[in-house]
mmCIF file of all heavy atoms in Angstrom:
data_model
loop_
_atom_site.group_PDB
_atom_site.id
_atom_site.type_symbol
_atom_site.label_atom_id
_atom_site.label_comp_id
_atom_site.label_asym_id
_atom_site.label_seq_id
_atom_site.Cartn_x
_atom_site.Cartn_y
_atom_site.Cartn_z
ATOM 1 N N LEU A 925 122.057 69.135 134.404
ATOM 2 C CA LEU A 925 120.740 69.219 133.827
ATOM 3 C C LEU A 925 119.897 67.943 133.896
ATOM 4 O O LEU A 925 118.693 68.048 134.242
ATOM 5 C CB LEU A 925 120.835 69.702 132.368
ATOM 6 C CG LEU A 925 121.305 71.106 132.187
ATOM 7 C CD1 LEU A 925 121.431 71.365 130.611
ATOM 8 C CD2 LEU A 925 120.419 72.271 132.725
ATOM 9 N N GLU A 926 120.553 66.818 133.708
ATOM 10 C CA GLU A 926 119.882 65.596 133.731
ATOM 11 C C GLU A 926 119.417 65.224 135.199
ATOM 12 O O GLU A 926 118.335 64.746 135.446
ATOM 13 C CB GLU A 926 120.797 64.426 133.131
ATOM 14 C CG GLU A 926 120.126 63.054 133.147
ATOM 15 C CD GLU A 926 120.994 62.066 132.476
ATOM 16 O OE1 GLU A 926 121.626 62.394 131.485
ATOM 17 O OE2 GLU A 926 121.197 60.923 133.063
ATOM 18 N N PHE A 927 120.314 65.566 136.113
ATOM 19 C CA PHE A 927 120.003 65.281 137.560
ATOM 20 C C PHE A 927 118.879 66.174 137.937
ATOM 21 O O PHE A 927 117.897 65.760 138.686
ATOM 22 C CB PHE A 927 121.137 65.705 138.406
ATOM 23 C CG PHE A 927 121.007 65.613 139.859
ATOM 24 C CD1 PHE A 927 120.947 64.335 140.450
ATOM 25 C CD2 PHE A 927 120.868 66.747 140.721
ATOM 26 C CE1 PHE A 927 120.697 64.211 141.800
ATOM 27 C CE2 PHE A 927 120.555 66.583 141.971
ATOM 28 C CZ PHE A 927 120.607 65.448 142.574
ATOM 29 N N ARG A 928 118.836 67.354 137.563
ATOM 30 C CA ARG A 928 117.735 68.385 137.935
ATOM 31 C C ARG A 928 116.447 67.907 137.278
ATOM 32 O O ARG A 928 115.409 67.935 137.917
ATOM 33 C CB ARG A 928 118.117 69.893 137.348
ATOM 34 C CG ARG A 928 119.241 70.448 138.207
ATOM 35 C CD ARG A 928 119.551 71.893 137.638
ATOM 36 N NE ARG A 928 120.568 72.507 138.473
ATOM 37 C CZ ARG A 928 121.056 73.662 138.208
ATOM 38 N NH1 ARG A 928 120.647 74.357 136.938
ATOM 39 N NH2 ARG A 928 121.965 74.219 138.961
ATOM 40 N N ALA A 929 116.463 67.455 136.127
ATOM 41 C CA ALA A 929 115.222 66.972 135.459
ATOM 42 C C ALA A 929 114.650 65.847 136.228
ATOM 43 O O ALA A 929 113.544 65.627 136.408
ATOM 44 C CB ALA A 929 115.528 66.562 133.910
ATOM 45 N N LYS A 930 115.538 64.896 136.695
ATOM 46 C CA LYS A 930 115.092 63.698 137.380
ATOM 47 C C LYS A 930 114.445 64.064 138.776
ATOM 48 O O LYS A 930 113.427 63.550 139.182
ATOM 49 C CB LYS A 930 116.257 62.721 137.677
ATOM 50 C CG LYS A 930 116.666 61.972 136.405
ATOM 51 C CD LYS A 930 117.741 61.139 136.641
ATOM 52 C CE LYS A 930 118.385 60.340 135.416
ATOM 53 N NZ LYS A 930 119.417 59.498 135.622
ATOM 54 N N GLU A 931 115.086 65.039 139.471
ATOM 55 C CA GLU A 931 114.527 65.580 140.711
ATOM 56 C C GLU A 931 113.253 66.196 140.549
ATOM 57 O O GLU A 931 112.325 66.051 141.329
ATOM 58 C CB GLU A 931 115.564 66.509 141.364
ATOM 59 C CG GLU A 931 116.807 65.858 141.825
ATOM 60 C CD GLU A 931 116.532 64.680 142.767
ATOM 61 O OE1 GLU A 931 115.774 65.094 143.865
ATOM 62 O OE2 GLU A 931 116.990 63.558 142.759
ATOM 63 N N ILE A 932 113.026 67.092 139.506
ATOM 64 C CA ILE A 932 111.771 67.731 139.153
ATOM 65 C C ILE A 932 110.771 66.661 138.862
ATOM 66 O O ILE A 932 109.521 66.799 139.257
ATOM 67 C CB ILE A 932 112.040 68.760 137.984
ATOM 68 C CG1 ILE A 932 112.911 69.910 138.371
ATOM 69 C CG2 ILE A 932 110.686 69.252 137.435
ATOM 70 C CD1 ILE A 932 113.235 70.884 137.225
ATOM 71 N N ASP A 933 111.114 65.582 138.097
ATOM 72 C CA ASP A 933 110.151 64.538 137.831
ATOM 73 C C ASP A 933 109.604 63.886 139.116
ATOM 74 O O ASP A 933 108.405 63.668 139.179
ATOM 75 C CB ASP A 933 110.800 63.530 136.796
ATOM 76 C CG ASP A 933 109.968 62.324 136.545
ATOM 77 O OD1 ASP A 933 108.791 62.632 136.064
ATOM 78 O OD2 ASP A 933 110.297 61.220 136.772
ATOM 79 N N LEU A 934 110.490 63.698 140.019
ATOM 80 C CA LEU A 934 110.073 63.105 141.263
ATOM 81 C C LEU A 934 109.208 63.999 142.046
ATOM 82 O O LEU A 934 108.189 63.573 142.668
ATOM 83 C CB LEU A 934 111.302 62.738 142.113
ATOM 84 C CG LEU A 934 110.997 62.115 143.500
ATOM 85 C CD1 LEU A 934 110.267 60.844 143.400
ATOM 86 C CD2 LEU A 934 112.377 62.001 144.224
ATOM 87 N N ILE A 935 109.466 65.234 142.198
ATOM 88 C CA ILE A 935 108.657 66.370 142.792
ATOM 89 C C ILE A 935 107.326 66.384 142.152
ATOM 90 O O ILE A 935 106.330 66.336 142.978
ATOM 91 C CB ILE A 935 109.302 67.700 142.834
ATOM 92 C CG1 ILE A 935 110.689 67.550 143.683
ATOM 93 C CG2 ILE A 935 108.422 68.716 143.361
ATOM 94 C CD1 ILE A 935 111.457 68.840 143.575
ATOM 95 N N LYS A 964 112.921 59.212 128.817
ATOM 96 C CA LYS A 964 114.201 58.631 128.564
ATOM 97 C C LYS A 964 115.246 59.024 129.818
ATOM 98 O O LYS A 964 115.007 58.455 130.847
ATOM 99 C CB LYS A 964 114.897 59.179 127.254
ATOM 100 C CG LYS A 964 114.228 58.601 126.024
ATOM 101 C CD LYS A 964 114.907 59.019 124.800
ATOM 102 C CE LYS A 964 114.236 58.391 123.569
ATOM 103 N NZ LYS A 964 114.953 58.824 122.267
ATOM 104 N N ASN A 965 116.032 59.997 129.538
ATOM 105 C CA ASN A 965 117.031 60.431 130.630
ATOM 106 C C ASN A 965 116.239 61.457 131.659
ATOM 107 O O ASN A 965 117.057 61.692 132.620
ATOM 108 C CB ASN A 965 118.207 61.015 129.964
ATOM 109 C CG ASN A 965 119.040 59.994 129.123
ATOM 110 O OD1 ASN A 965 118.959 58.924 129.318
ATOM 111 N ND2 ASN A 965 119.586 60.506 128.087
ATOM 112 N N ASP A 966 115.253 61.864 131.392
ATOM 113 C CA ASP A 966 114.617 62.817 132.347
ATOM 114 C C ASP A 966 113.761 62.223 133.462
ATOM 115 O O ASP A 966 113.188 62.937 134.185
ATOM 116 C CB ASP A 966 113.897 63.855 131.589
ATOM 117 C CG ASP A 966 112.699 63.261 130.748
ATOM 118 O OD1 ASP A 966 112.733 62.034 130.488
ATOM 119 O OD2 ASP A 966 111.875 63.912 130.375
ATOM 120 N N MET A 967 113.729 60.896 133.499
ATOM 121 C CA MET A 967 112.834 60.206 134.354
ATOM 122 C C MET A 967 113.612 59.880 135.711
ATOM 123 O O MET A 967 114.780 59.458 135.627
ATOM 124 C CB MET A 967 112.275 58.916 133.819
ATOM 125 C CG MET A 967 111.340 59.163 132.772
ATOM 126 S SD MET A 967 110.477 57.538 132.452
ATOM 127 C CE MET A 967 111.883 56.502 132.046
ATOM 128 N N HIS A 968 112.963 60.006 136.788
ATOM 129 C CA HIS A 968 113.669 59.612 138.011
ATOM 130 C C HIS A 968 113.490 58.117 138.197
ATOM 131 O O HIS A 968 112.617 57.356 137.596
ATOM 132 C CB HIS A 968 112.892 60.236 139.294
ATOM 133 C CG HIS A 968 113.556 60.065 140.570
ATOM 134 N ND1 HIS A 968 113.255 59.027 141.385
ATOM 135 C CD2 HIS A 968 114.365 60.930 141.244
ATOM 136 C CE1 HIS A 968 114.086 59.188 142.413
ATOM 137 N NE2 HIS A 968 114.830 60.276 142.376
ATOM 138 N N GLN A 969 114.401 57.568 139.113
ATOM 139 C CA GLN A 969 114.472 56.040 139.144
ATOM 140 C C GLN A 969 113.136 55.571 139.688
ATOM 141 O O GLN A 969 112.834 54.388 139.279
ATOM 142 C CB GLN A 969 115.558 55.765 140.156
ATOM 143 C CG GLN A 969 116.008 54.192 140.167
ATOM 144 C CD GLN A 969 116.353 53.738 138.859
ATOM 145 O OE1 GLN A 969 117.021 54.396 138.131
ATOM 146 N NE2 GLN A 969 116.094 52.454 138.479
ATOM 147 N N THR A 971 110.128 56.657 138.958
ATOM 148 C CA THR A 971 109.255 56.616 137.835
ATOM 149 C C THR A 971 109.534 55.390 136.862
ATOM 150 O O THR A 971 108.679 54.762 136.517
ATOM 151 C CB THR A 971 109.397 57.865 136.955
ATOM 152 O OG1 THR A 971 109.141 58.934 137.869
ATOM 153 C CG2 THR A 971 108.436 57.910 135.795
ATOM 154 N N LYS A 972 110.772 55.092 136.608
ATOM 155 C CA LYS A 972 111.234 53.958 135.884
ATOM 156 C C LYS A 972 110.670 52.671 136.572
ATOM 157 O O LYS A 972 110.189 51.741 135.963
ATOM 158 C CB LYS A 972 112.597 53.934 135.734
ATOM 159 C CG LYS A 972 113.317 54.976 134.817
ATOM 160 C CD LYS A 972 114.844 54.786 134.636
ATOM 161 C CE LYS A 972 115.321 55.740 133.701
ATOM 162 N NZ LYS A 972 116.903 55.703 133.603
#
Side-chain angles (χ1 to χ4, degrees):
L925 292 174
E926 185 176 314
F927 175 79
R928 288 178 178 173
K930 290 179 180 179
E931 290 301 307
I932 291 171
D933 178 55
L934 178 61
I935 292 170
K964 289 186 179 179
N965 297 329
D966 58 342
M967 291 191 304
H968 192 272
Q969 191 63 31
T971 305
K972 289 183 180 180

